[in-house]
Amino acid sequence: MEILSIPIEKVKGVGAKRASALKDVEILTLGDLLYYRPRRYLDRTQVLPMARAPIGQEVTLIGQVRQTRFIPGPRPRFVMVVADETDDITCTFFQGGRYLQRNFAVDDELAISGKVDLFQGRRQMVHPEYEFILGEERLHTGVVVPLYTTSADMKERGLRSRGFRRLISGALDAFAEQIEDDLPASLRQRLGLEELGASLRQVHFPASLAEAERARQRLAFGELFTFQLRLARRKKNREQADGIAFAPSEKLVPALWDSLPFAPTRAQRRVGAEIAAQMQRPQVMNRLVQGDVGSGKTLVGLSAMLMAVENGYQAAMMAPTEILAEQHFFNIQALVAPLGLTVVFLKGGQRKVLREELLTAIASGAAHIAVGTHALIQEQVQFARLGLAVIDEQHRFGVVQRGVLYKKGAKPDLLVMTATPIPRTLALTLYGELDVSVIDELPPKRKPIRTALRGRERRPAIFEFAGDQVRQGRQVYVVYPLIEESEKADYKSAVEAYDELRHGPLAEFAVALLHGRMAAEEKTAVMEDFKQNRVQVLVCTTVVEVGVDVPNATVMIIEHAERFGLAQLHQLRGRVGRGGEQSFCILISYAHAGAELADSRERLQTMERTQDGFEIAEKDLQLRGPGEFLGVRQAGMPAFKAADLVADGDLLQSARAEAMRIVASE
Ligand code: ADP
Ligand code: MG
């Protein structure tokens, strides 16, 4: 077994109790322990003598405890005097006094960090961060001391920072030699990188902060390289698998494009050609089409499907929501029925008789195209000859579901489409095994959407404006946060708002309600009415977030905009601006003060500033970090320990290039 995978109990100094405490911070193996990075470092070269500690600034000081005292009374507190050769300082704690009194003893050597202020003419720090640094061992007296995040349980088992340092140092002494390197020696030499064992030691016990960061980058590079190597091998294997070599489409695709009321953009043509070229090759295709909301991905996907059909195969398109799947079904049917093709629609909850009929059509090959939700990947669905699977809004599906549709055919080609622009570093991580086509152009004559951020007090004027737009023949979305959460305090749920708006400010218009809890037929009927402009104002939850396409809608009003994430806001705004008319997006914020306001303001102002999906995605990634950004749905996302996908973009690129080079030569 690889030495880093041995259970943590095998490490000297870890018994059953400590092992269970270490599990709190997800340390289960030796590798977890060695990759557990210091929360920060205490750089003693930066430590000031107390006499020179400036008032009002954050500093780190080192000294010995001279005196400790618990002061009861109306404001009970624990105070402790810490001194070095130059002066002393009082540390005051208003919380945890009794515990702290037991924690510190006179003569303990401490590093304290915090803001220095003056209290009754003396230097003081309130609630400083503290570390015990006294120790005979070299580890504790080095110039740069690592500080770790430890849980309460760990502290009780002697694993505050100091015990932790001893544990890690012992583990390094015992095992460092046996650690298998994660980089080939030749690569390491060429790039001038340290061995893994040495780098792990430097991360924990560096000679300088610069060395610590260099070592972290070395670990990050190793992680990224290992991951990219796996992706590159997977990609190569799949490319070697025999797939279908489709012939170019001579009838169906040209007929489809001729029938459109618009000219495809240059980007659509280019991506269409990239896909067609790859489908002609005998290897299995695995391609991602990235294109911002409204860039016209559907046409590109449908064209690929028709190429498969013309070659005598079936094609399938899967979408993450029923509303979107149904919209695709209606659109595709309208476009291909004149070409004599049969399209079926599969979703959950269909009547048994109908379902049997659809399944038979798919299994017999009578259905040329199947459109559906997750229902498409259920076991009972058997295709006669599936040649191409298209997955729309693929970020809404897990990696597993992607795989299942693929297995429904004998080596079908796979096309996944996503409107959520993903920053390049994440794309290379998540989709590193896919080829990528980008539709980087919007259809012409689209006017930029005017976006405005407003307070709730402006609602009357906003709805008056919406009414004006409706009078001019346009349509309006009013979006509310999810209905499940609506019980909370000042939430205005879609249902309540629906009643308010249709009896109040929008009384003269046809207003309808749409949310996830409505029956499927009801949803379909409402969407259809909206599409036909029989409904002028659609009050809804985020069920319309992805894919919904009604070009005549020009106003998107988002209530409680402060509750939405950037990606969601961008998707929602993408529902308008799809026709030639000027469109508007109005973000109504209910945040009045404090953290919520500060937190949401940056997001909402980003929305006001830009409409560029990639810029918004970068900002989103920065604000939320990669885990949150991708959400729980993105299973298959590796958890890197040293690498930071936001900051290490360059490292990732070079790790990827090296991995590709190695796999190409294998
Ligand atoms: P996406 O899925 O990329 O968000 P859609 O495929 O839904 O975008 O297309 C958005 C809208 O633009 C649809 O109404 C579609 O018919 C229209 N459309 C697509 N391509 C063009 C084009 N080249 N010119 C004008 N309109 C287009
Ligand atoms: Mg779409």
Side-chain angles (χ1 to χ4, degrees):
M1 180 166 47
E2 228 283 273
I3 195 83
L4 289 176
S5 331
I6 66 167
I8 191 69
E9 288 88 345
K10 296 267 166 69
V11 174
K12 199 168 146 232
V14 182
K17 285 202 177 130
R18 274 191 169 181
S20 99
L22 287 169
K23 285 198 175 84
D24 289 355
V25 291
E26 284 163 37
I27 296 178
L28 305 174
T29 64
L30 173 65
D32 295 336
L33 178 70
L34 296 184
Y35 273 92
Y36 191 77
R37 279 167 45 206
R39 162 170 56 88
R40 65 189 184 91
Y41 299 91
L42 174 64
D43 182 354
R44 292 214 191 184
T45 61
Q46 301 296 314
V47 171
L48 291 171
M50 286 186 187
R52 287 191 20 225
I55 307 298
Q57 286 191 28
E58 296 272 347
V59 294
T60 296
L61 306 169
I62 287 181
Q64 275 187 332
V65 177
R66 288 278 179 264
Q67 195 186 5
T68 67
R69 198 145 63 95
F70 182 75
I71 304 174
R75 272 203 97 182
R77 59 195 187 272
F78 172 74
V79 293
M80 158 171 91
V81 177
V82 179
D84 67 6
E85 305 82 63
T86 65
D87 203 351
D88 59 25
I89 187 167
T90 306
C91 301
T92 306
F93 298 86
F94 292 102
Q95 268 135 39
R98 297 277 180 207
Y99 162 78
L100 291 167
Q101 195 172 24
R102 270 180 278 126
N103 200 34
F104 296 108
V106 168
D107 286 344
D108 277 350
E109 193 167 337
L110 294 180
I112 48 177
S113 305
K115 200 169 92 182
V116 181
D117 56 41
L118 275 184
F119 180 68
Q120 296 176 346
R122 291 170 54 89
R123 282 197 171 79
Q124 119 169 319
M125 261 190 210
V126 177
H127 286 245
E129 263 206 82
Y130 59 88
E131 282 294 322
F132 293 88
I133 57 163
L134 175 73
E136 49 304 339
E137 315 94 321
R138 169 185 57 80
L139 323 172
H140 303 274
T141 53
V143 173
V144 179
V145 183
L147 307 179
Y148 298 88
T149 302
T150 53
S151 68
D153 211 15
M154 285 164 73
K155 289 192 178 109
E156 238 165 66
R157 317 253 170 255
L159 289 179
R160 51 181 84 252
S161 265
R162 180 177 169 194
F164 211 71
R165 283 193 285 273
R166 193 177 299 145
L167 188 64
I168 289 180
S169 168
L172 282 168
D173 290 345
F175 299 108
E177 300 283 286
Q178 304 163 57
I179 294 173
E180 204 175 291
D181 212 293
D182 54 352
L183 297 175
S186 57
L187 177 61
R188 240 184 310 118
Q189 269 151 27
R190 186 156 50 78
L191 300 180
L193 297 173
E194 295 267 10
E195 287 181 9
L196 179 55
S199 302
L200 284 167
R201 191 180 289 280
Q202 288 167 4
V203 157
H204 294 287
F205 305 109
S208 65
L209 291 182
E211 184 177 280
E213 173 57 15
R214 259 200 314 280
R216 182 199 70 81
Q217 290 194 17
R218 157 64 183 85
L219 298 185
F221 185 84
E223 283 183 323
L224 295 167
F225 174 81
T226 304
F227 182 70
Q228 289 295 330
L229 195 63
R230 203 158 68 228
L231 293 184
R233 292 212 169 106
R234 229 191 283 169
K235 182 163 189 274
K236 187 170 176 180
N237 282 340
R238 200 143 35 196
E239 278 164 1
Q240 281 169 345
D242 292 334
I244 307 158
F246 296 97
S249 165
E250 277 164 6
K251 291 200 320 256
L252 295 179
V253 175
L256 170 71
W257 288 38
D258 280 348
S259 73
L260 297 173
F262 50 76
T265 62
R266 222 171 332 137
Q268 282 170 316
R269 265 198 288 262
R270 189 195 68 240
V271 170
E274 283 168 11
I275 295 167
Q278 196 176 11
M279 285 176 70
Q280 288 171 49
R281 289 192 225 117
Q283 296 88 11
V284 169
M285 174 174 78
N286 253 283
R287 186 170 284 271
L288 171 72
V289 174
Q290 260 192 10
D292 209 343
V293 282
S295 62
K297 293 180 292 294
T298 315
L299 173 64
V300 167
L302 179 58
S303 302
M305 290 164 78
L306 291 188
M307 179 166 167
V309 171
E310 189 167 328
N311 278 268
Y313 288 89
Q314 293 168 294
M317 181 184 269
M318 182 162 81
T321 68
E322 226 167 86
I323 288 176
L324 181 53
E326 198 150 54
Q327 173 184 293
H328 280 323
F329 170 66
F330 287 132
N331 288 347
I332 291 176
Q333 196 174 43
L335 288 167
V336 308
L339 307 175
L341 303 184
T342 305
V343 187
V344 297
F345 178 52
L346 211 59
K347 64 172 179 179
Q350 282 169 319
R351 274 175 305 115
K352 194 154 182 267
V353 186
L354 174 61
R355 188 177 156 76
E356 290 301 323
E357 208 175 287
L358 297 174
L359 289 179
T360 309
I362 294 172
S364 69
H368 300 101
I369 291 177
V371 178
T373 58
H374 297 75
L376 271 182
I377 56 175
Q378 276 155 9
E379 224 172 285
Q380 305 87 326
V381 185
Q382 299 288 345
F383 285 84
R385 255 163 86 77
L386 182 63
L388 174 75
V390 178
I391 301 181
D392 194 22
E393 306 290 350
Q394 96 84 36
H395 57 285
R396 291 300 196 94
F397 293 102
V399 174
V400 181
Q401 288 159 318
R402 233 198 278 163
V404 176
L405 188 53
Y406 173 78
K407 291 199 184 90
K408 293 273 172 203
K411 309 272 174 56
D413 279 353
L414 184 65
L415 196 62
V416 302
M417 310 203 287
T418 184
T420 295
I422 292 186
R424 194 166 160 71
T425 49
L426 284 189
L428 287 180
T429 308
L430 268 178
Y431 307 128
E433 61 185 306
L434 307 181
D435 293 311
V436 180
S437 289
V438 183
I439 307 184
D440 51 5
E441 181 184 2
L442 291 178
K445 289 198 235 120
R446 298 253 171 100
K447 300 194 177 80
I449 300 165
R450 285 200 205 140
T451 302
L453 172 58
R454 296 285 181 259
R456 66 197 299 180
E457 72 285 351
R458 299 286 293 277
R459 282 179 89 239
I462 292 166
F463 286 114
E464 203 168 301
F465 168 78
D468 281 346
Q469 286 283 307
V470 177
R471 268 180 226 108
Q472 290 171 38
R474 307 281 91 77
Q475 288 165 277
V476 176
Y477 295 95
V478 188
V479 178
Y480 288 82
L482 269 190
I483 196 164
E484 282 85 357
E485 294 170 37
S486 66
E487 283 115 45
K488 283 188 202 161
D490 66 349
Y491 252 82
K492 191 150 275 189
S493 77
V495 179
E496 283 166 36
Y498 169 61
D499 282 330
E500 177 214 329
L501 293 175
R502 82 192 154 120
H503 292 125
L506 302 173
E508 59 186 288
F509 308 114
V511 183
L513 175 68
L514 182 70
H515 62 72
R517 291 205 178 159
M518 287 164 42
E521 300 80 60
E522 229 180 318
K523 279 191 267 186
T524 309
V526 170
M527 263 330 282
E528 189 53 27
D529 283 345
F530 191 58
K531 211 160 266 180
Q532 303 301 335
N533 202 359
R534 289 190 294 264
V535 162
Q536 296 163 299
V537 179
L538 189 64
V539 177
C540 55
T541 58
T542 52
V543 287
V544 299
E545 182 185 335
V546 288
V548 169
D549 183 44
V550 180
N552 189 49
T554 57
V555 182
M556 166 61 66
I557 297 172
I558 304 178
E559 290 250 51
H560 286 285
E562 76 280 2
R563 315 246 167 172
F564 293 90
L566 265 179
Q568 235 179 350
L569 291 170
H570 179 63
Q571 284 282 349
L572 285 169
R573 179 167 60 185
R575 297 315 109 216
V576 297
R578 301 187 147 240
E581 303 294 335
Q582 176 64 55
S583 287
F584 305 87
C585 174
I586 301 158
L587 307 168
I588 306 181
S589 169
Y590 286 59
H592 355 252
E596 190 180 41
L597 183 64
D599 179 60
S600 63
R601 185 177 283 155
E602 196 161 359
R603 285 200 304 275
L604 298 179
Q605 287 176 345
T606 301
M607 289 295 293
E608 265 191 309
R609 192 180 62 240
T610 178
Q611 213 173 306
D612 178 333
F614 283 91
E615 191 180 333
I616 290 173
E618 291 283 355
K619 187 80 197 173
D620 200 18
L621 177 62
Q622 241 177 50
L623 292 176
R624 288 196 292 162
E628 281 278 303
F629 176 87
L630 292 165
V632 277
R633 268 181 290 254
Q634 276 295 359
M637 178 69 195
F640 295 115
K641 289 181 167 152
D644 172 349
L645 289 177
V646 180
D648 292 336
D650 293 348
L651 277 181
L652 176 63
Q653 306 269 14
S654 81
R656 179 174 171 81
E658 296 298 343
M660 296 289 220
R661 175 153 45 175
I662 285 179
V663 170
S665 68
E666 274 173 356

